[in-house]
Amino acid sequence: MSAWHAVLRLASRDARRHLTRTILAALLIALPVAALGTFFSISSPGAPVTKRVLGSIPDGAQATITAAALPQGGPPFPQIPEGAPGPWIDDADVRAADPEQIRAALPPAIELSEYWTSPSLVASPELGLQPGQEQTLDSQVKTLDGKPPKRLAMAELWEGEPWAFSASAPRVAEGTAPTTPSEVIITRSLADRLHLEVGDSLGFLAPPDVGVRSSDGNLAAAMNDSARGYRVAGIADASGTRAWAPSGWLSSLAAKHPEGLQRHWFAHGSEPVTWTDAKALNKLQAFAISRHVLEHYPAADELYPVDIDPAQLLERAIGVAVALVVGGLLVFFLVTPAIAISAEQSRRTLGLAGAVGATPRHLRRIVLSQGLVIGVFGAVLGCVLAVASAAGSGALLGAMVPAEDSEQPRFGAGVALANFPWWVLVAGACIAVLLGLIAAWGPARSVARLSVVDALRDRPSVRAQRRRRGRSLIIGPALLGISVLVGAATLLARVPEHVAGQEAKAELAPGSLPPGATVFVIGASLAIVAALAGLAVTVRGLLPLLGRLGDGRRPVWKLALRDAADHPSRTVPAVLGVMFSLLAASYLLVMGASQHADFRTTGESVDWRGTFLVSPTVSIDPVLDRAIADAALEELSRSLPEVDGSHPVEALAHDSPTLLLPLQPKGRECPEGTLVHAASARTPGAPLRCVSEVSGAAFREESAGFGSPESSSDPPVLMDGPALQAMRLPGADAAAQVLDSGGVLVSDASLIDDDGRVRLARIPREKLDTLEIDPHDEVKLPAKFVRGIGTGLVMSPSTARGLGLDHIVLAGVLADTSKPLDEATLERLGDERVGGLVWVNLPDSTDPLGADEPEERAAKWGPPVLLGALSVAAAAIAVLLSATQGRRDAITAYAVGASRGVLVRIGLARAAVILLFGVPLGLGAGLAVSAYHVAWKRRIASSGAWLDTVPLWGYQAMLGAGVVVAGMLAALLLTRPPRRLVRRGLD
């Protein structure tokens, strides 16, 4: 222990003498710890679960109780104190527990007050409904008499029995609280949207049920096609489009159609709802969120057994592993050179220690203690940065994603700190200390093998360097050769294919590896690892030969090349740091762009140029739907002078009794259980290739650009020629002529026969599962292959009605613009809901990585940018260390007449040597590895077809140029000689 005490004192002294180097190395070690804490603190947004759930219980209530529509008599509902452990699916034919059953399981002093929450409703003061008046949708449409209202919004209605209403309804800013079921409180936002004042009439209309369920189970079916009028009694200062009313309308509809409905109550009274009471409710397939239970949390042995969440464990394991790997790379490429420099600067001191009796173990401890000191300093710094970064990131996200008035904030500095996993600090501190020791291990081993004579002469052992260089020049090329052979084998050998059929579909999810392909995964991984290792070892062997390249060159370059050759312990990690960080950035760019291209190849893409589609949020009635869409487009167009018209786009209704299916040409059909390969679907005239349904290379027709998430429709999409031309797709004029002449457009080229026609079959919906097609219901129409519409089958409305398809709904209205709208304008339109009435459908982003939202851009572009910055840091740190190491050479040069400008040029030349080797090697290796990986994925065809390798040459050039420019600028700032060039004492 006394030996360690002495070496730790030496390490602390060295850290203080080289404070800049110590801070820089500790900061690099601290970064993974800070990133780990930030990741876990913001990856689970929302206030702490217990606190957030406790805040959902109204003042005065003991608990909120939910009864699920699940069969009773089986195992109890396995709730946790915070409520349901996860989502569940209500049974549409089962009634939830009634109030008598719930009350019997609770203490006698507890009373229940029920409440209901509606799905999205159409709200308007122009529906012609008097307060308390109820109508069906058909009657409402007749009342409108073809004159749809102009003041419209989508709203959510909350109803509650007297106690529940008084506890949950917001405080009114204008008017009074409702006293009858025909009165309502609305938010200020809804009042402003509909120009309402206290005393005005307001009607709510429930759209037809299309199978989209809210959090209240089957309530949408119970409210199907109903409407009711209210009087606005009060207006609350709250955002969103919501309303609150005493129980009346929703409660009566729920009582008439109780099957499949969840039921909700507030439990209030003088006694608490205990965990024992909650377990009694669980036997009724109900659960309670109790104030008493959350404030007196049950012991672990009182809770239901909870399955370990493998996803959460995997996420934590991946987070720690990534921190270790990234931290290991950082210390190897950036921190290890710093400690190696320290060892070189202390060579004579270490030689003296060895001469007076220090053993190799003692010498190794001296260097390891330096890594330990840096690791401890990095641990403290990392913990501070982790907390600060978590709070800052939470505050930034909180500003980007504000919470609604009725919601707990999902993000924010306080939320991030409350969610902060404090175990990360302990794990991070251990990781930091471990990284410090890892950083020092290589230099410590070199010091342990130090020759005392060479150390006292302050000169490295030439013989040892030559032996290491010789081994590197043999092992490196051998590893590269092995990588080429293994990689070629994985690309040329016969790859197992997915077995077609229902058995394979049942056992394997889409995108699964074909059986027997594991060996190819292992082979590809070995090929990539061998290539990277071989490249690193080869570079390590070649760089010491750089001194020979300086013969006959200018003195500045000769000195820089000799410096790189004489100090491989510093130069090699610096070049490898630049190379591998650029390799990773280049690789991520290619893989991200190629994956995005594959996503567009194997599915539908939306390539409209500069226009958008406005779709009703819910489909109510053709006339009302069109009025809503037109009014919304008119409102949006007030700030868009480019919009000078619109075109209706329709689709087959979700309840149409007849469907229209495109069929492959006879004699050129894929067998049952298979789908067409994306290469055949996307290339007209290509040979037919079929793959299993579970193959990732299969082409899947799914409409991508029409309708809203709350409505549903079926293909075909119906539009006329001018609407297609407004999309500005390539070949739109010729495609419009096909549409207007009675033809169809398809996105699957394999459907078109040699005569340029496609088979279409009318099939009753009830026969869709069996695909029983009557030959008399088949028809062949002229067809044209068009990509980018967003759906697989398009025809004109007149063609559809000629085929007997008359159950048509409005998919939306397409804006006709005088010139294409820019992407920033389209992105802004994507956030517009116009009072919740519409959904704005946009073309796919032109971003090469497919990032649409700011968060997505940060996720997809962040890693390449950070890795590029890391390569700049590698170069800058290497230059800084080089300047420190070359201080004595600079003093000598200055003493014999070299100007300060010459010293600066020498520093720039040293940086240029590192960049000129690291940048081309990094970019070239990144492109090569990514090209191989894409080719391998194309062969396996599990995660996609991967038909295209997208190198993004412009971005690659910008990446390389940015690193070179930033590295040289850093060198210019860091290599300026100090004002006083004096001889330093012996280290």
Side-chain angles (χ1 to χ4, degrees), residues 104 292 362 506 513 543 591 899:
H292 177 271
H362 295 145
L513 282 172
L543 280 181
M591 295 303 296
S899 66

Side-chain angles (χ1 to χ4, degrees), residues 695-777:
S695 171
F699 175 67
R700 306 177 192 277
E701 295 183 20
E702 296 178 0
S703 295
F706 301 93
S708 86
E710 297 185 36
S711 64
S712 61
S713 59
D714 294 312
V717 169
L718 313 179
M719 67 178 74
D720 54 19
L724 184 69
Q725 290 173 317
M727 294 180 175
R728 297 186 179 89
L729 296 172
D733 294 338
Q737 293 179 2
V738 173
L739 275 184
D740 292 339
S741 61
V744 298
L745 307 179
V746 295
S747 62
D748 182 355
S750 69
L751 296 174
I752 303 176
D753 61 18
D754 296 334
D755 297 328
R757 303 170 75 85
V758 66
R759 292 169 60 207
L760 299 172
R762 294 184 296 266
I763 181 172
R765 184 177 290 273
E766 60 270 13
K767 295 183 179 180
L768 182 60
D769 293 335
T770 60
L771 288 180
E772 298 178 13
I773 300 174
D774 188 336
H776 297 289
D777 288 331

Side-chain angles (χ1 to χ4, degrees), residues 19 22-24 26-27 29-30 372-382 432:
L19 188 59
T22 303
I23 294 176
L24 195 58
L27 182 61
I29 288 178
L372 183 61
V373 169
I374 292 175
V376 171
F377 188 20
V380 175
L381 190 59

